[in-house]
Amino acid sequence: MTGETAALGARYSHASGLDPAVTERSVTAQIANIALHPTIRRRWCLSMMGAGLLTFVLMVSIGWLFVAGIGIWHLQIPVTWGLAISNYVWWIGMGHAGTLISALLLIMNKGWRNSLNRFAEAMTVFAVLNASIYPILHLGRPSFFYYLIPYPGTLGVWPQFRSPLMWDVFAVGSYLIVSILFWYIGLVPDLAVLRDRAHGRFAQVAYGLLSLGWRGAARHWIRWRIAYWTVAGLAVPLVVSVHSGVSMLFAVGLEPGWHSTLLPPFFVFGAVFEGFAVVTLIALSLRRAFGLQDLVTARHMELLARLVLATGLATIYGYLFEAFGAWYSGQPYERALAVYRLLGPYSWAYWATLACNALSLQLLWSARLRRNLWVLGAVAALVTVGMWCERFMIVIPSLAHDFLPSSWRSYAPSVWEWMTFAGTIGLFLLLFLLFVRFLPVISMFEVKEILHAEREPRAVA
Amino acid sequence: MPGSRVSREFDAPFTPSANYGRREAVKLMSASLMLMGLGGCGRGESDEHAVPYVDMPEGAVPGVPRAYATAVPLSGYAQPVVGTTIDGRPIRLDGNATHPASNGGIDALTQAAVLQLYDPDRSQAILNLGRESSDAQFQAALHDAMRGHAGPTGRGLRLLTGATTSPTLARQWALLRDRFPEARWHLHEPAVPLLDTAVAQAAFGTPAELIHHLDRAHAVVCIEADPLGPGPSQVYCAAAWAALRRQLRTGRSSPTLVVAERTPSLTGAQAEHRLVASSADVPALLHDLARRLGLGGAAQTASLSPAATAWADAAFRVLSDAGPSGLLMVGPQLPADLQAVGLAINAQIGSLGHTVVAAEPIDLRPRADGNLEKLVEAALGGEVGLLVMLDCNPVYSGPADLPVPDALSRIPFRVHAGLHADETAAQSHWHLPLAHPLESWSDGRAVDGSAVVIQPLIRPLHGGRTMHEVIALLTEETGAPRDLVRTTWMERLSNDEARWRQVLQDGCVPGTAAPTIAFQMAKLQALPASFAGAPAVRTEAGFTALFRPDSTLWDGRFANVTWLQELPKPLTTLTWDNIIAIAPATAKRLGLARGQIIRLEGENRTLEGPIWPLAGQCADVLTLFFGYGRTRGGAVGSDIGYSAFALQPRGGQWERQGIRLSALDRQASLAPMQLSDRTEDSDILRTVTPERPEVENRAAKASFYSDWSYPHDAWAMVIDSDLCIGCRACMTACQAENNIPVVGKEMVALGRIMHWLRVDRYYEGGDDNPVTHFQPVPCMHCEKAPCEVGCPVNATVHDPDGLNAMIYNRCVGTRTCSSYCPYKVRRFNYFTYTVDRESPLAAQYNPNVTVRERGVMEKCTYCVQRITAARIASEKAGRPIADGEVVTACQAACPTQAIIFGNLKDADSAVSRAKRDERNYTLLADLDTRPRTTYLARIRSSKPPQS
């Protein structure tokens, strides 16, 4: 294995992971042209139509939800939280890999992240946007969502700060703000490049406005760097705190399967695991669609595969200890729930989780399989599905099968819930397609920076 | 002149119809617009002078409730109630504790009368052949018919009523008989059987009714009898049963309840020793008991199964030990010969006259000229020229073997008076809207015979005559509705106005309990012999179908009452449907799943309905329930379930043998409240023995949050599991008090039933004969409430008295509180479930309780509005709130007084004493939520339950 790694290392640069053929000029040309002179207009338009249709489905299902009421979802007593909450957890979890790649690896000076961070961050922003819709849709009285926001109203009533939902509002809110900021700050120098290279007047003005008058002056770069690293510093703790906060939504409740100190790290690992899987899928698609094999190289894919494997193993540890904890607690309700998850009406979710996340992941131990992009893509897709099943498995069975047997009742999502879910996928795709069409999908200046540092070490020093 | 306010203004019946032309529609619209203010001109209260029950404020103070004592008849028997009205609208009924037959409790069926009053589908106009007509036209037609069809001696005149105990009706009937000596009165009562007339004649030489005094018994043996089950005597018997159970706590010897039955009942659920009897067992057990107790003439019994023998041993032992304090109750649905044996046994052990009393009939059936069967025979024979059907629905509730529609069609003039234009109205020439009991002056007698004068709580909403006014049309008696009743009573009250007022105020006529009948021992001892020739229960191949009134819809008269449709049936927890009960083992053998449609066939009659494996059911017995399968039961009550009458034999017998069962390839969607029947080894139900009544309780753990302090009061509730009989009266009472919406079958099936208080039912032991437990679960009002931690917007908070309060207008509907609630007592308004503002049903709403909108969580408040009312009263008087001053709605309704509520700060309060009881335990104590609501463990004898 060391030999194989060495082989990759020999082909691609160790620090940046870039292909030796890449030059600073070729990076700019290739990336800027994707936005300015798209070559796959037809395919893009077709994809846009599909995504647009799904987004329309989202709009319809949200519209009807607001008109007809939350009852169009098949929620009930005891299962008051259903697909919406498990989707919320899934979407917000997805974002974590983006932040980890951009902020944590930036601070850790991992240069190879420069090929991945832009689209990973875009994924984060869009996923968190999708996630942040759900808590509002999920309200019985969505028009009063602002009660969740601490504001000095005349009634003098404040939110209830002990509630994990409250923490979620802060967590998701700050996450959304920080990831948009981080993404946008990172975009500014590249937007200036697009402004300079754009031919159309509209594009010039639009990119010009967005690039905030960036001229590449040294003073700009100093300011920029301070801002970028500061926001990165803010984003890093969010990688851990946001999903810990989300897990508190469950851990603070007494329901069996929820009430556990294991949940915060378990949720964070699961989130990053899921996020890396989605980043892998996006990287594979972009490489293929835009011929970016020189920039997102086999070495990058290898690194992503390893990250998926590592975070996946941590998640599997969570599964083991969840089961062990239920047994070791000696509590009949915890044990009964563990059995219910395994054998009850939602056992499909449990076994699908294990099959997708634990079983398929083992393929990545083998370097040969790992480097087969088809295998890697299949595993990443399975993990994305598996993590969805896991979120479902965490949220619903605990409510459906808690303490008093008289209340036990299983839940099946209504067509509106599925439509909303499909719609959020559509919105994600729509935003992502707009992103690849109009913005640089890979951070041009950061790739050039690492290229420069690699090839002319003295210049940087 | 009767008629609604609008029709009086316009001298024409007013019922909206789809057949208006353009001009009429515009006229009507403008008239409606002009008359919009008219509603404010009259007061809803009765015209006549009704006497307030407790206090009569000077002048009417808007919003101040008034209480009137009255009664609501159920299958004829008056259920004494106190009706609360606010601004002239009746909003709630409570039991009338002043009445000797009531301890203040109320059953669900009686409570629901207040909703039935506002039923939007109640008939509102006189109909002639289904078309609106006027009162004048009806009176003219009746006048002609009386001359033409009834004849001068009333030869062709027949009256058909439901069961009744009304002295006024009896007086009016006597009047009618004086005018028309050949007129005949028939009574049709599908749900409540009486002591067989032949048996009573043989035993006492006169018709008689049996009154059971459970509270005097030391041992109760029931064979197919269900004194605790739904029906007119439920509250009476349950109160007596509770008195009996309470003796357990004073160290007295434990009263034993031994039950043998083919289909499970609420009484069976309370039994110490329950036998699942087969159809052959029932007569055999009775005769076996008779023989062992030394009665001659008892038929030789077939050999009993070991289980039946063990049961017979136990029954014999407890009865012979108890002697006169024993009580044998034989199901009134059983054939006459078995009734006779039962009566003889009670006489033999000396309990007749003590625990069971023969009384002069309260029900007027024995005084009538016959039942529906006789009427049908007469009609088919062309003897009936004019039939008046009063508050009964024989077309629906007549047995299928009786050709009721055919018989009716031979009668040239048919008048139906009822609350609804029902199946019978459709087969009548004329239909008259009848005033609801809560709108009527009438009278009746309770199950102990004590009479009640029924006074109206409100003027008839849709016009409509009272029952007595309808009879008065025939007798040509004149006078206001009140005077028809007053005439009856002033005779008996020696024309004393003050006594009349007192009778109205108290809601009972003193000294009217049914007189007991003397008996001769020899006659009774010979009873079994005199009935020995009667055909014993035949045993035919195939299934035996038992017919029982439905526990919520009764005989179908409550089909359009949504509270009762959605009230889970005690044993199945089913809502909105009736089922065919089958033994689980039989269902398994035949491969039938719950809800599968089966076809029953017997002697050319067929019936299709969904099957329900019911634990504790006899293997070859199917139980069918009345009340469903209505075709004209109103918007809510029509076209649901099957009609059990379709299989009932000719004479209205309570069982039919030789039923063939075939499974159909269809599945009914059923909506039970509860899906899991077992407690799964958890300790949520605690049972103790009389010898060792302590339960183990865990000490509270340390908490992250500091304890609350309560400067004033600390409200708490204790529910005595030993007294709960699972009748679910508390659920309906809560619904009435707290404006709890009804959501419909689809919503219940989805899991969105809204009851704040539910009664869970669990089984312990095998499905063949399990022990049945009931557990009422209101909000626990936890000291360490998980919901309070979960709510992000402070919409559910701890109040200064320790109540866990809901602030509806702060709630945004995150439902976190419900997710976190380990007891799952919270209910969420997934849709707008409140009734339409324009619906008459909205008038029932309690104005002191907020109506909740869509998207808001709600739950039990411990009736905080009553606490507040008591606090205001106490602060005005400058005194603390006395123990017992705050009574929650569920507590007030409970016929066994199993719910204790009060202030924990008062160490001597009933609830504080109950909390110190050694049986006190906490539900899910290991979660350390520290609930304010706790339970007292059920007491069961230490001998293992029979399996």
Side-chain angles (χ1 to χ4, degrees), chain A residues 407-425:
Chain A
S407 311
W408 292 349
R409 186 180 286 273
S410 55
Y411 147 88
S414 77
V415 63
W416 292 104
E417 293 173 88
W418 289 117
M419 275 169 64
T420 310
F421 178 46
T424 50
I425 292 176

PDB file of all heavy atoms in Angstrom, chain A residues 407-425:
ATOM      1  N   SER A 407     -49.465   4.100  23.757  1.00  0.00           N
ATOM      2  CA  SER A 407     -49.258   5.192  22.795  1.00  0.00           C
ATOM      3  C   SER A 407     -48.541   4.726  21.536  1.00  0.00           C
ATOM      4  O   SER A 407     -48.425   5.498  20.598  1.00  0.00           O
ATOM      5  CB  SER A 407     -48.415   6.302  23.428  1.00  0.00           C
ATOM      6  OG  SER A 407     -48.908   6.656  24.665  1.00  0.00           O
ATOM      7  N   TRP A 408     -48.004   3.548  21.545  1.00  0.00           N
ATOM      8  CA  TRP A 408     -47.165   3.138  20.414  1.00  0.00           C
ATOM      9  C   TRP A 408     -47.953   3.190  19.116  1.00  0.00           C
ATOM     10  O   TRP A 408     -49.078   2.701  19.030  1.00  0.00           O
ATOM     11  CB  TRP A 408     -46.646   1.723  20.626  1.00  0.00           C
ATOM     12  CG  TRP A 408     -45.669   1.636  21.756  1.00  0.00           C
ATOM     13  CD1 TRP A 408     -45.084   2.668  22.428  1.00  0.00           C
ATOM     14  CD2 TRP A 408     -45.168   0.444  22.362  1.00  0.00           C
ATOM     15  NE1 TRP A 408     -44.255   2.186  23.408  1.00  0.00           N
ATOM     16  CE2 TRP A 408     -44.289   0.831  23.395  1.00  0.00           C
ATOM     17  CE3 TRP A 408     -45.372  -0.918  22.136  1.00  0.00           C
ATOM     18  CZ2 TRP A 408     -43.613  -0.094  24.186  1.00  0.00           C
ATOM     19  CZ3 TRP A 408     -44.707  -1.839  22.934  1.00  0.00           C
ATOM     20  CH2 TRP A 408     -43.829  -1.424  23.946  1.00  0.00           C
ATOM     21  N   ARG A 409     -47.339   3.762  18.118  1.00  0.00           N
ATOM     22  CA  ARG A 409     -48.005   3.871  16.828  1.00  0.00           C
ATOM     23  C   ARG A 409     -46.941   4.177  15.789  1.00  0.00           C
ATOM     24  O   ARG A 409     -46.107   5.041  15.992  1.00  0.00           O
ATOM     25  CB  ARG A 409     -49.030   5.000  16.879  1.00  0.00           C
ATOM     26  CG  ARG A 409     -49.887   5.141  15.653  1.00  0.00           C
ATOM     27  CD  ARG A 409     -50.846   6.275  15.852  1.00  0.00           C
ATOM     28  NE  ARG A 409     -51.921   5.950  16.774  1.00  0.00           N
ATOM     29  CZ  ARG A 409     -53.064   5.353  16.412  1.00  0.00           C
ATOM     30  NH1 ARG A 409     -53.275   5.040  15.161  1.00  0.00           N
ATOM     31  NH2 ARG A 409     -53.993   5.096  17.297  1.00  0.00           N
ATOM     32  N   SER A 410     -46.959   3.463  14.696  1.00  0.00           N
ATOM     33  CA  SER A 410     -45.928   3.732  13.693  1.00  0.00           C
ATOM     34  C   SER A 410     -46.425   4.765  12.697  1.00  0.00           C
ATOM     35  O   SER A 410     -47.607   5.064  12.619  1.00  0.00           O
ATOM     36  CB  SER A 410     -45.496   2.443  13.005  1.00  0.00           C
ATOM     37  OG  SER A 410     -46.611   1.793  12.478  1.00  0.00           O
ATOM     38  N   TYR A 411     -45.492   5.273  11.972  1.00  0.00           N
ATOM     39  CA  TYR A 411     -45.743   6.450  11.134  1.00  0.00           C
ATOM     40  C   TYR A 411     -45.234   6.178   9.739  1.00  0.00           C
ATOM     41  O   TYR A 411     -44.177   5.574   9.558  1.00  0.00           O
ATOM     42  CB  TYR A 411     -45.010   7.628  11.784  1.00  0.00           C
ATOM     43  CG  TYR A 411     -44.460   8.692  10.856  1.00  0.00           C
ATOM     44  CD1 TYR A 411     -45.247   9.762  10.455  1.00  0.00           C
ATOM     45  CD2 TYR A 411     -43.142   8.632  10.409  1.00  0.00           C
ATOM     46  CE1 TYR A 411     -44.729  10.733   9.622  1.00  0.00           C
ATOM     47  CE2 TYR A 411     -42.627   9.600   9.584  1.00  0.00           C
ATOM     48  CZ  TYR A 411     -43.424  10.661   9.188  1.00  0.00           C
ATOM     49  OH  TYR A 411     -42.915  11.625   8.368  1.00  0.00           O
ATOM     50  N   ALA A 412     -45.999   6.583   8.754  1.00  0.00           N
ATOM     51  CA  ALA A 412     -45.549   6.494   7.366  1.00  0.00           C
ATOM     52  C   ALA A 412     -45.717   7.876   6.752  1.00  0.00           C
ATOM     53  O   ALA A 412     -46.797   8.451   6.825  1.00  0.00           O
ATOM     54  CB  ALA A 412     -46.383   5.475   6.607  1.00  0.00           C
ATOM     55  N   PRO A 413     -44.657   8.425   6.184  1.00  0.00           N
ATOM     56  CA  PRO A 413     -44.749   9.790   5.646  1.00  0.00           C
ATOM     57  C   PRO A 413     -45.813   9.885   4.561  1.00  0.00           C
ATOM     58  O   PRO A 413     -46.061   8.937   3.826  1.00  0.00           O
ATOM     59  CB  PRO A 413     -43.362  10.034   5.059  1.00  0.00           C
ATOM     60  CG  PRO A 413     -42.476   9.031   5.705  1.00  0.00           C
ATOM     61  CD  PRO A 413     -43.320   7.849   6.009  1.00  0.00           C
ATOM     62  N   SER A 414     -46.424  11.040   4.468  1.00  0.00           N
ATOM     63  CA  SER A 414     -47.435  11.250   3.434  1.00  0.00           C
ATOM     64  C   SER A 414     -46.747  11.667   2.143  1.00  0.00           C
ATOM     65  O   SER A 414     -45.559  11.987   2.122  1.00  0.00           O
ATOM     66  CB  SER A 414     -48.416  12.332   3.865  1.00  0.00           C
ATOM     67  OG  SER A 414     -47.837  13.606   3.707  1.00  0.00           O
ATOM     68  N   VAL A 415     -47.513  11.686   1.086  1.00  0.00           N
ATOM     69  CA  VAL A 415     -46.946  12.044  -0.212  1.00  0.00           C
ATOM     70  C   VAL A 415     -46.393  13.467  -0.177  1.00  0.00           C
ATOM     71  O   VAL A 415     -45.378  13.772  -0.812  1.00  0.00           O
ATOM     72  CB  VAL A 415     -48.008  11.846  -1.317  1.00  0.00           C
ATOM     73  CG1 VAL A 415     -49.191  12.772  -1.118  1.00  0.00           C
ATOM     74  CG2 VAL A 415     -47.407  12.057  -2.693  1.00  0.00           C
ATOM     75  N   TRP A 416     -47.014  14.318   0.628  1.00  0.00           N
ATOM     76  CA  TRP A 416     -46.527  15.704   0.720  1.00  0.00           C
ATOM     77  C   TRP A 416     -45.159  15.770   1.367  1.00  0.00           C
ATOM     78  O   TRP A 416     -44.344  16.621   1.027  1.00  0.00           O
ATOM     79  CB  TRP A 416     -47.526  16.557   1.501  1.00  0.00           C
ATOM     80  CG  TRP A 416     -48.801  16.741   0.751  1.00  0.00           C
ATOM     81  CD1 TRP A 416     -49.990  16.120   0.988  1.00  0.00           C
ATOM     82  CD2 TRP A 416     -49.009  17.567  -0.399  1.00  0.00           C
ATOM     83  NE1 TRP A 416     -50.921  16.515   0.065  1.00  0.00           N
ATOM     84  CE2 TRP A 416     -50.349  17.408  -0.800  1.00  0.00           C
ATOM     85  CE3 TRP A 416     -48.179  18.423  -1.127  1.00  0.00           C
ATOM     86  CZ2 TRP A 416     -50.884  18.076  -1.890  1.00  0.00           C
ATOM     87  CZ3 TRP A 416     -48.723  19.102  -2.216  1.00  0.00           C
ATOM     88  CH2 TRP A 416     -50.055  18.929  -2.594  1.00  0.00           C
ATOM     89  N   GLU A 417     -44.923  14.901   2.318  1.00  0.00           N
ATOM     90  CA  GLU A 417     -43.607  14.903   2.960  1.00  0.00           C
ATOM     91  C   GLU A 417     -42.536  14.453   1.987  1.00  0.00           C
ATOM     92  O   GLU A 417     -41.449  15.014   1.925  1.00  0.00           O
ATOM     93  CB  GLU A 417     -43.637  13.995   4.198  1.00  0.00           C
ATOM     94  CG  GLU A 417     -44.525  14.542   5.288  1.00  0.00           C
ATOM     95  CD  GLU A 417     -44.706  13.578   6.435  1.00  0.00           C
ATOM     96  OE1 GLU A 417     -43.899  13.597   7.364  1.00  0.00           O
ATOM     97  OE2 GLU A 417     -45.676  12.802   6.392  1.00  0.00           O
ATOM     98  N   TRP A 418     -42.874  13.438   1.201  1.00  0.00           N
ATOM     99  CA  TRP A 418     -41.913  12.972   0.191  1.00  0.00           C
ATOM    100  C   TRP A 418     -41.697  14.048  -0.869  1.00  0.00           C
ATOM    101  O   TRP A 418     -40.585  14.258  -1.340  1.00  0.00           O
ATOM    102  CB  TRP A 418     -42.413  11.683  -0.464  1.00  0.00           C
ATOM    103  CG  TRP A 418     -42.358  10.482   0.436  1.00  0.00           C
ATOM    104  CD1 TRP A 418     -43.413   9.741   0.875  1.00  0.00           C
ATOM    105  CD2 TRP A 418     -41.184   9.876   1.012  1.00  0.00           C
ATOM    106  NE1 TRP A 418     -42.984   8.724   1.687  1.00  0.00           N
ATOM    107  CE2 TRP A 418     -41.625   8.777   1.785  1.00  0.00           C
ATOM    108  CE3 TRP A 418     -39.828  10.162   0.958  1.00  0.00           C
ATOM    109  CZ2 TRP A 418     -40.739   7.963   2.484  1.00  0.00           C
ATOM    110  CZ3 TRP A 418     -38.944   9.349   1.660  1.00  0.00           C
ATOM    111  CH2 TRP A 418     -39.400   8.273   2.414  1.00  0.00           C
ATOM    112  N   MET A 419     -42.778  14.723  -1.225  1.00  0.00           N
ATOM    113  CA  MET A 419     -42.647  15.767  -2.244  1.00  0.00           C
ATOM    114  C   MET A 419     -41.765  16.898  -1.743  1.00  0.00           C
ATOM    115  O   MET A 419     -40.943  17.433  -2.490  1.00  0.00           O
ATOM    116  CB  MET A 419     -44.029  16.304  -2.624  1.00  0.00           C
ATOM    117  CG  MET A 419     -44.715  15.468  -3.686  1.00  0.00           C
ATOM    118  SD  MET A 419     -46.442  15.906  -3.885  1.00  0.00           S
ATOM    119  CE  MET A 419     -46.300  17.585  -4.473  1.00  0.00           C
ATOM    120  N   THR A 420     -41.926  17.232  -0.475  1.00  0.00           N
ATOM    121  CA  THR A 420     -41.087  18.286   0.089  1.00  0.00           C
ATOM    122  C   THR A 420     -39.626  17.859   0.069  1.00  0.00           C
ATOM    123  O   THR A 420     -38.739  18.649  -0.273  1.00  0.00           O
ATOM    124  CB  THR A 420     -41.532  18.594   1.534  1.00  0.00           C
ATOM    125  OG1 THR A 420     -42.942  18.796   1.532  1.00  0.00           O
ATOM    126  CG2 THR A 420     -40.838  19.807   2.081  1.00  0.00           C
ATOM    127  N   PHE A 421     -39.403  16.603   0.406  1.00  0.00           N
ATOM    128  CA  PHE A 421     -38.027  16.107   0.414  1.00  0.00           C
ATOM    129  C   PHE A 421     -37.447  16.135  -1.000  1.00  0.00           C
ATOM    130  O   PHE A 421     -36.343  16.663  -1.239  1.00  0.00           O
ATOM    131  CB  PHE A 421     -37.999  14.688   0.993  1.00  0.00           C
ATOM    132  CG  PHE A 421     -36.625  14.074   1.003  1.00  0.00           C
ATOM    133  CD1 PHE A 421     -35.531  14.790   1.460  1.00  0.00           C
ATOM    134  CD2 PHE A 421     -36.426  12.782   0.545  1.00  0.00           C
ATOM    135  CE1 PHE A 421     -34.263  14.233   1.468  1.00  0.00           C
ATOM    136  CE2 PHE A 421     -35.165  12.212   0.561  1.00  0.00           C
ATOM    137  CZ  PHE A 421     -34.074  12.941   1.016  1.00  0.00           C
ATOM    138  N   ALA A 422     -38.203  15.619  -1.957  1.00  0.00           N
ATOM    139  CA  ALA A 422     -37.736  15.624  -3.348  1.00  0.00           C
ATOM    140  C   ALA A 422     -37.490  17.065  -3.786  1.00  0.00           C
ATOM    141  O   ALA A 422     -36.508  17.360  -4.480  1.00  0.00           O
ATOM    142  CB  ALA A 422     -38.778  14.968  -4.243  1.00  0.00           C
ATOM    143  N   GLY A 423     -38.370  17.946  -3.328  1.00  0.00           N
ATOM    144  CA  GLY A 423     -38.227  19.352  -3.693  1.00  0.00           C
ATOM    145  C   GLY A 423     -36.954  19.967  -3.157  1.00  0.00           C
ATOM    146  O   GLY A 423     -36.295  20.751  -3.854  1.00  0.00           O
ATOM    147  N   THR A 424     -36.569  19.603  -1.940  1.00  0.00           N
ATOM    148  CA  THR A 424     -35.333  20.182  -1.403  1.00  0.00           C
ATOM    149  C   THR A 424     -34.126  19.662  -2.176  1.00  0.00           C
ATOM    150  O   THR A 424     -33.167  20.394  -2.395  1.00  0.00           O
ATOM    151  CB  THR A 424     -35.157  19.888   0.100  1.00  0.00           C
ATOM    152  OG1 THR A 424     -35.337  18.497   0.322  1.00  0.00           O
ATOM    153  CG2 THR A 424     -36.153  20.678   0.933  1.00  0.00           C
ATOM    154  N   ILE A 425     -34.207  18.412  -2.609  1.00  0.00           N
ATOM    155  CA  ILE A 425     -33.113  17.901  -3.448  1.00  0.00           C
ATOM    156  C   ILE A 425     -33.068  18.723  -4.736  1.00  0.00           C
ATOM    157  O   ILE A 425     -31.995  19.109  -5.218  1.00  0.00           O
ATOM    158  CB  ILE A 425     -33.311  16.398  -3.737  1.00  0.00           C
ATOM    159  CG1 ILE A 425     -33.132  15.613  -2.435  1.00  0.00           C
ATOM    160  CG2 ILE A 425     -32.337  15.918  -4.798  1.00  0.00           C
ATOM    161  CD1 ILE A 425     -33.384  14.147  -2.566  1.00  0.00           C
TER     162      ILE A 425
END
